[in-house]
Amino acid sequence: MNHDGAAMVEGVRKEDGLIALRGVTMRFRYQTVLKEIDLTIRRGQTVCIIGESGCGKTVMLKLMIGLLHPTKGRVEFDGADVASLSGPDLVKMRLRFGFLFQMAALFDSLSVFDNVAFGLREHRVCGEQEAHRIVLDRLKEVGLPAGVESKKPAELSGGQRKRVGLARALAINPEVMLYDEPTTGLDPIMSDVINELILQTQQTKKTTGVVVTHDMKTVTKVADRVVMLYPLSRLEPGESQVLYDGPPEGLEDSPDPRVGQFVRGEAGERLREMALQRHGSGR
Amino acid sequence: MAVVPLEASSKPTEAPSTPVTRLGEQVFDTVAEVGDVARFSILTIVWIFRKRPRWSVLVPIFYAIGVKSVSVVAITGTFIGMVLAVQAYHQFAMMGLATRLGSVINISIVRELGPVLAATMLAGRVGSSMSAELGTMRVTEQIDALSALGTNPIYYLVVPRFLACLLLIPLLTLMGDFMGVIGGAVISTQVLNVDSFAYWKHTRDFVDSLDIFAGVFKSYFFGAAIALISCHRGFNSKAGAEGVGRAATEAFVFSFIVILFLDFVLGLLWNSIYSAMYPQSEGLL
Ligand SMILES: Nc1ncnc2c1ncn2[C@@H]1O[C@H](COP(=O)(O)OP(=O)(O)O)[C@@H](O)[C@H]1O
Ligand SMILES: [Mg+2]
């Protein structure tokens, strides 16, 4: 099922897998969220990670960029162990990533312009004039009207915030874009706009993409490959947490019924469990 | 029929929670927390020397922390001076020592009340709001966004706040001292009719610049503690409005406890240094 091929030869790895999770286990104080995950993402690929809320999708993105470190196993980026990076190497690695956070995570105290310019200025990527041009270009690319750059994030709508977040991530010309639920909380039209922007980024900038989502429209539109995670607490002992890893077309035909249920949005088993629990507690 | 994994059975069985295990956990948590604050403090100090924050970041924070605290410190300082005068007057007047009021009020203010009050006001006004601000940033992933953009959050968020508290609290303390001294003097000499010349003469006999310095010296530690505790609380805020609110409250409570603790320890330390330098006077230790 792992169509990236477990039989990858050492040495080819570096070129083949830009991001690699090797036997990654992530434990927080009270729960284990990810268990022995193996995942290799190739350069240029766009991978959608799907799965229900709380199954560890955001944690996985944060592991990739080194905001979290695995309890066990290792995360590699371009052949380097992410956990071992520090100082200038860590900064260099971070700047090869763009991260669109779930609620955009714009800096409240800064204007839209300063938000988008943040990475450029902080690392003196270019002069102030050049930065000015890049910021306005990026804002235009994500379809925001002129004049928005002087506003504060609090004055924007959800869809506008997401687009500013995207512009901020793209300003530093990343090789890899990480999107955390880019369409969650947006109306269908704005969702489509965002999907379109993801597609556009992927095509014009040739970025590698990891898109965490439970929006099947996003999956069909942007994914080359889909990985489905399942919450560890619901897994039978011995099962892999990755229920599906393959092209988006194969999702419906997956032999695992839980994949189809997720794709079609059927609660199925869960409703029966809830009824059972209600019944149990009523006794 | 399929086995339905219920919540309880799908988790490993945990040790039963008894008062002893809970106490153990509490102790363990406290030790871990203190260790974490220490690590956080060391990182902050390392970053101060590694890279100077930009002026465009520093100036608004210095303004918010320093300038906006002046009025509240001035007002509380004035009232404390006035209250001290009113409360102490009768006892002293009964013994015929009303003119000694000057030394008692002023030494209390510059050595203890000025620094502690300025610190308490800073913890209440600035500490809890810093903690809520950083807590909101944590919860809305803005702190993660900083890291993702290659900027260290301690460098960008904590260092400026730490520097502002550290460098401005002595000024606030002096301001509080000054207003307290004025407040006490006005009430004593104008309202309670203590002889003004004697009031100031006793003050000059008993309060010297070393006493003022003792207060200012302590205030540096208070300022550092407030900044580090409040920022640390904010950075570790739990999700939701409740989590952020709790971070703000805890920032104040912890800062206040640490201020009083430091006040005690630094008082002892100061006395022993003083008695070592001037052996004829007796110290506490
Ligand atoms: N920093 C953290 N500390 C403790 N638990 C966390 C932390 N981050 C995430 N978790 C837990 O990990 C689980 C998965 O979270 P997340 O990856 O955000 O889920 P999702 O798949 O919805 O993005 C959740 O139960 C969450 O409570
Ligand atoms: Mg998430």
Side-chain angles (χ1 to χ4, degrees), chain B residues 1-15:
Chain B
M1 233 194 82
V3 182
V4 178
L6 289 176
E7 287 297 311
S9 62
S10 62
K11 287 198 179 103
T13 47
E14 283 178 19

Side-chain angles (χ1 to χ4, degrees), chain A residues 113-129:
Chain A
F113 185 94
D114 292 341
N115 261 284
V116 179
F118 192 89
L120 299 173
R121 283 177 177 164
E122 215 42 49
H123 304 289
R124 306 187 197 285
V125 177
C126 55
E128 189 61 20
Q129 261 186 344

Side-chain angles (χ1 to χ4, degrees), chain A residues 28 31 33 52-59 181:
Chain A
F28 292 111
Q31 69 188 130
V33 177
E52 55 198 87
S53 286
C55 69
K57 305 185 297 294
T58 302
V59 167
E181 304 199 16

Side-chain angles (χ1 to χ4, degrees), chain A residues 19-257:
Chain A
I19 303 171
L21 274 65
R22 303 196 194 282
V24 165
T25 296
M26 188 70 208
R27 231 192 107 71
F28 292 111
R29 189 157 171 208
Y30 296 110
Q31 69 188 130
T32 305
V33 177
L34 298 174
K35 197 166 170 207
E36 281 155 31
I37 303 275
D38 283 297
L39 183 71
T40 309
I41 295 171
R42 283 203 311 271
R43 208 180 286 274
Q45 204 172 37
T46 298
V47 181
C48 276
I49 296 173
I50 60 173
E52 55 198 87
S53 286
C55 69
K57 305 185 297 294
T58 302
V59 167
M60 203 172 200
L61 285 187
K62 290 187 179 170
L63 283 166
M64 290 176 185
I65 191 175
L67 289 172
L68 293 171
H69 295 308
T71 322
K72 237 170 65 191
R74 53 193 255 142
V75 179
E76 289 168 16
F77 177 63
D78 207 6
D81 182 0
V82 169
S84 72
L85 296 176
S86 66
D89 290 338
L90 180 67
V91 172
K92 231 178 271 164
M93 182 275 278
R94 292 268 168 80
L95 293 182
R96 293 172 68 185
F97 279 96
F99 200 138
L100 176 58
F101 287 87
Q102 186 168 348
M103 309 299 287
L106 302 180
F107 305 126
D108 293 324
S109 55
L110 303 181
S111 69
V112 166
F113 185 94
D114 292 341
N115 261 284
V116 179
F118 192 89
L120 299 173
R121 283 177 177 164
E122 215 42 49
H123 304 289
R124 306 187 197 285
V125 177
C126 55
E128 189 61 20
Q129 261 186 344
E130 175 78 353
H132 196 86
R133 191 188 57 75
I134 293 176
V135 170
L136 295 184
D137 274 1
R138 291 294 178 272
L139 285 172
K140 205 190 291 166
E141 271 170 28
V142 298
L144 287 168
V148 82
E149 69 273 9
S150 56
K151 289 192 177 171
K152 282 281 168 76
E155 301 167 55
L156 305 180
S157 71
Q160 287 175 325
R161 283 159 159 271
K162 282 272 167 78
R163 285 184 284 168
V164 174
L166 187 58
R168 181 176 71 183
L170 290 175
I172 47 177
N173 261 325
E175 287 165 53
V176 184
M177 276 297 302
L178 308 177
Y179 306 87
D180 194 0
E181 304 199 16
T183 61
T184 301
L186 301 182
D187 63 75
I189 305 292
M190 193 43 68
S191 297
D192 201 42
V193 169
I194 299 285
N195 289 339
E196 218 32 74
L197 287 171
I198 295 174
L199 206 59
Q200 184 187 314
T201 305
Q202 177 189 331
Q203 283 161 357
T204 60
K205 302 193 193 302
K206 304 280 176 249
T207 53
T208 307
V210 184
V211 188
V212 157
T213 185
H214 29 222
D215 182 345
M216 296 316 292
K217 285 228 178 76
T218 305
V219 174
T220 34
K221 198 149 195 168
V222 308
D224 301 327
R225 171 182 171 200
V226 183
V227 172
M228 178 165 165
L229 288 182
Y230 205 63
L232 209 55
S233 60
R234 316 193 67 89
L235 224 50
E236 304 289 333
E239 272 187 312
S240 160
Q241 199 178 357
V242 177
L243 289 193
Y244 180 86
D245 185 352
E249 303 80 50
L251 273 171
E252 283 283 1
D253 310 323
S254 165
D256 193 325

